[in-house]
Amino acid sequence: SDNHNDPRDNDKNGTASYENMASQAFGAKARVLSSVLVFACCFFGTAGYAVLLRDMLEPLVDSVVIPPEGTGGGPTFSRNLAMLTVILIVSPLCIMKNLTALKNVGAASMASVLTVGLCVAYRSIECQLGFTEQHDNDNSDNKENSESSMQAFPSSMKMVLDAVPLFISSYICHFNVLPIHNELRCPTSDRVTQWVRTSMWPATLFYYVIGITGSLYAKCTPNGEIQGNILLDFDEDDPLLL
């Protein structure tokens, strides 16, 4: 009898992983390298979302703990503490053995992102229809800035470097393909194709809609430009965004 373990048996047993695939294709060193790369993607992605979370919590935190004068939208002890508290609360979810256990959490997170996106789109439409206050948009410089925010293509290399990470980070989920494949009851090629399409195309459409509608809000900002985090462009006491 043949007693050796074929790495390809992982696929049959439902234990295939991104690291195993790299190891089979390029050797043991590739397994270590792929693990490091996945860790780096997750770490920096978590750091970015943590900063975004802190910005979203800013109005609520500042209503409880008044920030020092001149702080603006920068970090403070209370804002960082609120951010770390939320991270500690959700950290146990990161040690789940499979992704199926997170299906309800995933649905809730998508609902929350969709809600924020709809709020941004609603405020942008209000802005374009003239239902919100415009900040001196008769000024020629402001008009130019507002129009430049709607450029279809970047006008400088800096703008390219600012935009590329957004496109890349939006679709960094390839290392989850195999774990999800393992958890499918009937992982046929058609089913895999179907869930990939139903995951990627709606997300792409969502990014397009929010990107365009968010850019339209430049008309109602003081300088005619949108910040990297559009939530910072809305009033802190905006009831819709709260």
Side-chain angles (χ1 to χ4, degrees):
S1 59
D2 189 2
N3 294 325
H4 78 279
N5 293 324
D6 189 342
R8 289 172 293 183
D9 290 340
N10 290 329
D11 297 338
K12 301 176 183 179
N13 298 331
T15 58
S17 68
Y18 190 68
E19 293 80 5
N20 287 341
M21 182 180 69
S23 178
Q24 293 174 29
F26 304 105
K29 292 183 179 180
R31 179 186 182 89
V32 176
L33 178 60
S34 63
S35 298
V36 172
L37 292 176
V38 170
F39 173 81
C41 289
C42 293
F43 175 80
F44 289 110
T46 301
Y49 280 112
V51 173
L52 179 60
L53 172 65
R54 185 186 65 197
D55 292 340
M56 295 179 66
L57 293 173
E58 184 178 314
L60 297 177
V61 175
D62 291 351
S63 65
V64 178
V65 181
I66 300 177
E69 293 185 6
T71 301
T76 64
F77 176 78
S78 57
R79 294 170 185 172
N80 288 338
L81 181 61
M83 176 188 69
L84 292 174
T85 300
V86 175
I87 291 176
L88 289 176
I89 292 175
V90 301
S91 290
L93 300 176
C94 299
I95 59 175
M96 295 291 184
K97 293 183 178 180
N98 56 60
L99 295 176
T100 303
L102 298 175
K103 62 180 181 180
N104 293 330
V105 177
S109 64
M110 290 302 298
S112 63
V113 171
L114 180 61
T115 300
V116 174
L118 291 176
C119 290
V120 171
Y122 179 77
R123 281 288 185 252
S124 296
I125 294 173
E126 276 191 331
C127 171
Q128 290 298 312
L129 296 178
F131 294 151
T132 58
E133 180 183 358
Q134 298 180 16
H135 299 269
D136 299 329
N137 277 350
D138 292 334
N139 182 278
S140 59
D141 292 338
N142 196 31
K143 282 186 177 180
E144 291 178 1
N145 289 335
S146 180
E147 292 174 357
S148 65
S149 66
M150 290 299 295
Q151 287 179 304
F153 300 97
S155 58
S156 66
M157 182 56 64
K158 180 182 183 301
M159 295 179 67
V160 174
L161 296 177
D162 287 340
V164 168
L166 295 178
F167 286 102
I168 295 176
S169 61
S170 298
Y171 298 99
I172 293 184
C173 56
H174 54 280
F175 43 80
N176 288 327
V177 171
L178 291 176
I180 295 175
H181 178 273
N182 295 336
E183 296 175 34
L184 290 176
R185 294 180 180 177
C186 184
T188 63
S189 177
D190 290 340
R191 292 197 67 192
V192 172
T193 301
Q194 180 181 2
W195 66 255
V196 169
R197 288 177 176 175
T198 55
S199 297
M200 302 303 288
W201 282 112
T204 301
L205 179 61
F206 177 77
Y207 282 126
Y208 268 113
V209 172
I210 298 304
I212 293 174
T213 56
S215 298
L216 293 175
Y217 192 75
K219 182 179 178 181
C220 291
T221 59
N223 59 357
E225 296 181 352
I226 296 294
Q227 300 186 56
N229 178 6
I230 191 175
L231 298 178
L232 299 178
D233 289 310
F234 297 101
D235 295 334
E236 291 188 2
D237 57 351
D238 189 322
L240 185 63
L241 272 299
L242 286 177

